[in-house]
Amino acid sequence: MLGLIRMLEGLWLMSSQEIKIGVLGCANIAERFVIPAINNLEIFNLVAIASRTKSKAEQFSKLFNTQAVNSYEELVKRDDIQAVYIPLPNSLHFEWIKKSLLSGKHVLVEKSMACSADEVNELNDLAREKSLVLLENFQFRKHIQLDKIKEIISSGDLGELRCIRSSFGFPPFADKENIRYKKELGGGALLDAGAYPLKVAQELTEYSLSVDSASLFYDKEFNVDTWGSAQLKCNSSALTVQVAFGFDHAYQCNLEIWGSKGILRSNRIFTSPPGVAAELELTNGSGAKKITLEVDNHFENMLTYFAELMLSPEKATNEYQNNVKQAQLIEQLRREAYE
């Protein structure tokens, strides 16, 4: 992956200098991981950060040595920005992705892309029409760990796949004003935590899943779902998928792939930190072994992939299709649970 990063940086520097990018919002993930990754890659030039409050924009601009902008509208209309990163609450994604695309900007947006499948459809049709990249920021997709998992599956060490299980959950938030508890901001466990195990299952089944059964616990205090689970089926084989998620749980962040010959497990599939070597556990007829991988940074890798798509817009077609399939699966799960 490091080689790909350096190659892309070289291509940009030869062709159009760097990618000028702006950030809409001052979320925690932006501060801790994504903006530092942007600044660490020569391929990007962080031009400006926008917030709805002047003080927050100025705080971030000083922290990351860039320009503060006092409104999202002003940032997306700037001619000196080619791309935007959007880490806003889910309910604001549709509006600001659409405005960014209409202003000719490529978009990297935090998950989930929008609050309904209809919104996601409209956004991806618009991105396709304008030949712009629209990428949902599931960083784990570009971690060396997922590459290794796919390699092991292809090797036959697990035999024929029988069942995929994945869980992502964490304890309740101390701050009851957290956006995940706000219905009006697109809160709830399904769009927040549930999107992850669904996405990894999509990645491992080539986006061919449908929901058999589902359950969502609706918290009447907050008026959002706080945990849930589902069983899914693969439309191209007899493989089944089981997912569980929520933010009223003991911490879980795992993936288990069960085959006719073996089992493969990961305990940090979604959140393997930069600078820490991920580990997989493979058990089959040859015994059990731990597989320690190279240290990786999936934040930088995803940004590099974003740049790669901008260099080759035709490659973005697959992302449009997968964005829509992810949103449709989430909506199907919600419908099955409440019906």
Side-chain angles (χ1 to χ4, degrees):
M1 185 59 73
L2 183 60
L4 175 61
I5 291 172
R6 297 296 173 247
M7 181 189 75
L8 285 169
E9 287 179 343
L11 286 172
W12 269 102
L13 291 173
M14 288 188 295
S15 60
S16 58
Q17 300 305 310
E18 67 260 314
I19 300 168
K20 295 180 172 62
I21 190 168
V23 177
L24 294 184
C26 300
N28 184 52
I29 190 173
E31 179 179 4
R32 293 182 61 200
F33 298 112
V34 180
I35 297 176
I38 289 171
N39 282 340
N40 199 40
L41 294 169
E42 292 182 8
I43 193 171
F44 287 101
N45 176 5
L46 179 60
V47 174
I49 299 174
S51 175
R52 289 188 170 182
T53 62
K54 182 178 180 181
S55 60
K56 193 71 172 178
E58 290 177 348
Q59 175 191 335
F60 264 56
S61 68
K62 291 176 183 175
L63 186 62
F64 296 109
N65 192 30
T66 191
Q67 184 178 347
V69 177
N70 295 330
S71 77
Y72 303 148
E73 191 85 40
E74 180 184 341
L75 189 146
V76 300
K77 288 185 174 179
R78 288 179 61 144
D79 294 331
D80 60 343
I81 288 176
Q82 299 162 275
V84 295
Y85 164 58
I86 303 179
L88 297 172
N90 291 329
S91 64
L92 299 180
H93 286 179
F94 176 77
E95 176 185 359
W96 291 105
I97 293 171
K98 186 172 183 178
K99 287 182 176 180
S100 298
L101 293 171
L102 289 171
S103 296
K105 309 295 189 288
H106 301 281
V107 176
L108 175 67
V109 60
E110 282 303 327
K111 75 299 292 180
S112 291
M113 181 168 288
C115 293
S116 74
D118 285 344
E119 289 181 343
V120 172
N121 264 313
E122 181 178 340
L123 293 172
N124 282 274
D125 284 346
L126 180 59
R128 183 183 289 106
E129 175 190 325
K130 293 190 167 292
S131 298
L132 292 168
V133 177
L134 177 52
L135 182 61
E136 199 168 18
N137 198 29
F138 284 101
Q139 293 95 350
F140 74 87
R141 290 179 56 205
K142 297 302 171 184
H143 195 284
I144 191 173
Q145 182 176 199
L146 190 60
D147 291 338
K148 186 64 176 179
I149 289 168
K150 291 179 177 180
E151 178 188 318
I152 292 170
I153 292 171
S154 297
S155 74
D157 284 348
L158 301 179
E160 293 183 7
L161 300 192
R162 302 293 191 235
C163 182
I164 294 172
R165 298 189 181 107
S166 184
S167 301
F168 190 35
F170 28 87
F173 299 99
D175 177 14
K176 300 309 176 185
E177 296 301 310
N178 189 290
I179 61 172
R180 294 171 181 84
Y181 291 131
K182 302 290 186 181
K183 183 176 183 179
E184 67 275 16
L185 295 180
L190 176 57
L191 289 179
D192 185 68
Y196 283 86
L198 291 175
K199 189 68 174 181
V200 76
Q202 296 265 49
E203 283 281 310
L204 296 174
T205 59
E206 298 182 342
Y207 293 80
S208 62
L209 293 174
S210 57
V211 179
D212 261 346
S213 61
S215 174
L216 287 173
F217 177 80
Y218 193 82
D219 190 300
K220 293 180 181 178
E221 177 185 355
F222 297 110
N223 292 320
V224 297
D225 54 283
T226 51
W227 52 273
S229 61
Q231 175 146 321
L232 305 96
K233 61 183 177 182
C234 182
N235 300 321
S236 58
S237 73
L239 173 69
T240 59
V241 174
Q242 298 167 348
V243 299
F245 51 87
F247 37 77
D248 192 19
H249 291 53
Y251 185 76
Q252 288 262 32
C253 179
N254 59 45
L255 173 68
E256 178 185 277
I257 304 169
W258 187 10
S260 59
K261 296 180 180 179
I263 300 172
L264 182 63
R265 295 184 177 93
S266 166
N267 286 323
R268 292 296 296 272
I269 183 62
F270 307 121
T271 59
S272 187
V276 176
E279 287 189 344
L280 301 173
E281 181 183 299
L282 174 62
T283 304
N284 58 17
S286 301
K289 66 175 180 178
K290 282 191 175 180
I291 303 169
T292 302
L293 304 173
E294 296 175 21
V295 170
D296 205 6
N297 186 324
H298 55 185
F299 297 98
E300 292 184 7
N301 295 346
M302 182 55 87
L303 284 161
T304 303
Y305 179 61
F306 183 44
E308 180 186 358
L309 294 177
M310 290 169 63
L311 279 172
S312 304
E314 67 278 2
K315 292 183 179 179
T317 300
N318 203 46
E319 293 296 334
Y320 303 145
Q321 296 169 348
N322 293 344
N323 291 339
V324 170
K325 288 178 181 177
Q326 173 75 357
Q328 289 173 337
L329 192 66
I330 287 173
E331 197 147 292
Q332 187 185 2
L333 192 158
R334 183 187 288 115
R335 186 170 59 249
E336 290 289 332
Y338 289 137
E339 287 181 355

